[in-house]
Amino acid sequence: MNYEQQLKDILSVAIEEGASDVHLIAGHPPILRISRRLVPLVRQRKLNGEDTRELAFLLMDPGQQERLMIRKEIDFSYSFEGKARFRVNVFFQRGEISVAMRQVQMKIRNIEELNLPPILHEFTRPTQGFILITGPSSHGKSTTLAALIDEINHTRPAHIITIEDPIEYLFQDDKAIIEQRELYHDTLSFASALRATFRQDPDVIVLGEMRDPETMATAITAAETGHLVFATLHTNSAAQTIHRIVDSFPPEQQGQIRAQLSGSLFGIVSQRLLPRISGGVIPACEILFNTPAVANLIRENKIHEIPLVIETSSELGMISLNRSLAALVRDGEVTMENALS
């Protein structure tokens, strides 16, 4: 079996069809996700355990293969013939190796090209503060974050350091200088890499993910001490994001974290991707800016009142998810059923 040719055929079809994901699973033919639907490649035979192992090992270098066998799962990025990049997760299930590949666009699209609200340009303007891009998994957080970072890159001289697992979008320096660090290749943990940035003279710090209280506390401190810090979180709303951060800490520290967050937070974008009537997907966004009223609610632990502030602060650029969805339905972009769900 020529596994190199088979891998090339699968990825070529994925690129041609605009698939967002590729799945290689023992007992199934290769499966693509196209416009959020799973589509098996019926012309390809069903894969067995040996097939998935060989295909997975073609994607990895020897060090990654070794890490997979020890940890039983691994994340990394993979470039295919200069045509496409993939974020890859290889893992074991029922003793066999499976592969999940997410296609990452080579071109970094801007806010307009992504159909994001124009108010998002405001998130590229501060020189210090804490900005969070949130939403469920696979709903475009990394893509939105890349658009914001690239706008800073094209508009002002800044030293930008990213910490990612794995590196997804590759930036080309323009007015800014951008250094991209990948977990396990360039650093051993988010927390240690973030601590090290204090000695690397950054203006902007980008955290691919905040996975533990230590990373969260250091990120908030970085925002307080004159840096602009971007990070992503898997949460469903602005209020839930603040709850998640505060609740990650022991009760005796939560008051201090709320006080720090109320002072350092610039804003939160929470987004979903919905199937578009004309094909593809389009984002719906909830947008929160940290006004004195919002900061007060965070400090006083009245986070449950934040949705009402968002609802009644549209003149300040805030957008509730319901208003965003209603606008998409009104403009004929998404169906009422998808908006309601």
Side-chain angles (χ1 to χ4, degrees):
M1 180 73 203
N2 186 342
Y3 288 112
E4 284 189 25
Q5 187 59 50
Q6 186 180 18
L7 181 64
K8 184 175 179 175
D9 291 345
I10 294 166
L11 298 185
S12 295
V13 173
I15 294 164
E16 284 165 25
E17 297 295 334
S20 61
D21 300 82
V22 178
H23 295 280
L24 307 176
I25 305 165
H28 297 271
I31 297 167
L32 307 183
R33 188 180 288 279
I34 301 170
S35 295
R36 306 194 81 77
R37 289 189 182 85
L38 291 173
V39 181
L41 294 180
V42 291
R43 290 182 185 174
Q44 295 254 358
R45 62 181 179 81
K46 285 185 181 179
L47 303 171
N48 59 35
E50 184 186 350
D51 298 331
T52 57
R53 178 190 172 95
E54 292 298 326
L55 290 166
F57 273 38
L58 279 174
L59 299 167
M60 294 185 278
D61 62 35
Q64 291 167 332
Q65 294 170 13
E66 192 179 329
R67 234 176 14 254
L68 169 69
M69 302 316 284
I70 294 168
R71 299 179 176 215
K72 303 300 183 187
E73 62 234 332
I74 183 172
D75 286 302
F76 57 94
S77 52
Y78 178 75
S79 291
F80 175 62
E81 297 184 343
K83 298 176 191 170
R85 279 175 58 78
F86 293 88
R87 185 179 74 201
V88 186
N89 182 273
V90 181
F91 58 99
F92 278 84
Q93 62 96 19
R94 292 172 60 184
E96 308 284 15
I97 288 177
S98 286
V99 181
M101 304 178 71
R102 161 66 49 84
Q103 188 171 178
V104 179
Q105 297 293 327
M106 299 281 276
K107 178 183 182 292
I108 299 173
R109 289 172 288 170
N110 62 30
I111 287 168
E112 284 71 30
E113 288 168 328
L114 292 170
N115 296 295
L116 290 163
I119 193 71
L120 257 72
H121 291 293
E122 293 300 318
F123 285 84
T124 68
R125 297 195 172 124
T127 53
Q128 84 170 82
F130 196 25
I131 292 173
L132 290 150
I133 311 298
T134 73
S137 185
S138 305
H139 278 259
K141 297 186 295 295
S142 301
T143 305
T144 295
L145 182 57
L148 297 175
I149 299 307
D150 210 39
E151 181 163 321
I152 294 173
N153 178 33
H154 294 312
T155 51
R156 69 176 194 252
H159 182 203
I160 302 170
I161 295 177
T162 77
I163 307 164
E164 304 172 70
D165 179 26
I167 289 172
E168 294 188 40
Y169 291 93
L170 297 175
F171 296 95
Q172 300 294 324
D173 294 2
D174 183 10
K175 292 188 174 170
I177 51 171
I178 306 177
E179 299 188 272
Q180 295 182 259
R181 305 190 69 197
E182 182 164 298
L183 207 61
Y184 306 120
H185 265 290
D186 306 307
T187 181
L188 294 178
S189 74
F190 276 111
S192 64
L194 183 55
R195 282 195 306 274
T197 59
F198 290 112
R199 299 184 294 278
Q200 294 159 0
D201 185 37
D203 299 297
V204 180
I205 301 167
V206 183
L207 272 174
E209 216 174 307
M210 294 194 298
R211 294 182 179 171
D212 55 71
E214 184 187 2
T215 308
M216 290 180 188
T218 312
I220 294 167
T221 301
E224 282 184 312
T225 54
H227 304 91
L228 180 60
V229 179
F230 289 87
T232 68
L233 263 184
H234 294 288
T235 49
N236 290 323
S237 68
Q240 191 189 73
T241 301
I242 295 164
H243 273 304
R244 171 74 57 82
I245 292 171
V246 173
D247 290 349
S248 297
F249 294 87
E252 65 274 12
Q253 286 184 328
Q254 291 181 2
Q256 179 197 338
I257 292 297
R258 279 198 302 272
Q260 285 183 283
L261 201 53
S262 69
S264 62
L265 183 69
F266 178 82
I268 299 173
V269 179
S270 178
Q271 70 178 56
R272 306 280 186 295
L273 291 179
L274 285 87
R276 202 174 187 177
I277 290 171
S278 60
V281 291
I282 192 167
C285 295
E286 177 188 65
I287 294 176
L288 169 76
F289 286 103
N290 186 18
T291 61
V294 170
N296 204 39
L297 293 177
I298 295 172
R299 262 196 312 276
E300 295 183 4
N301 201 18
K302 295 180 179 174
I303 296 162
H304 61 278
E305 294 180 24
I306 284 176
L308 181 62
V309 174
I310 296 172
E311 197 68 59
T312 55
S313 303
S314 57
E315 76 284 355
L316 300 175
M318 298 199 212
I319 302 172
S320 69
L321 189 62
N322 277 345
R323 191 170 323 121
S324 178
L325 290 166
L328 290 173
V329 172
R330 191 178 61 241
D331 295 343
E333 293 283 9
V334 303
T335 64
M336 178 65 86
E337 291 73 24
N338 280 326
L340 287 170
S341 70

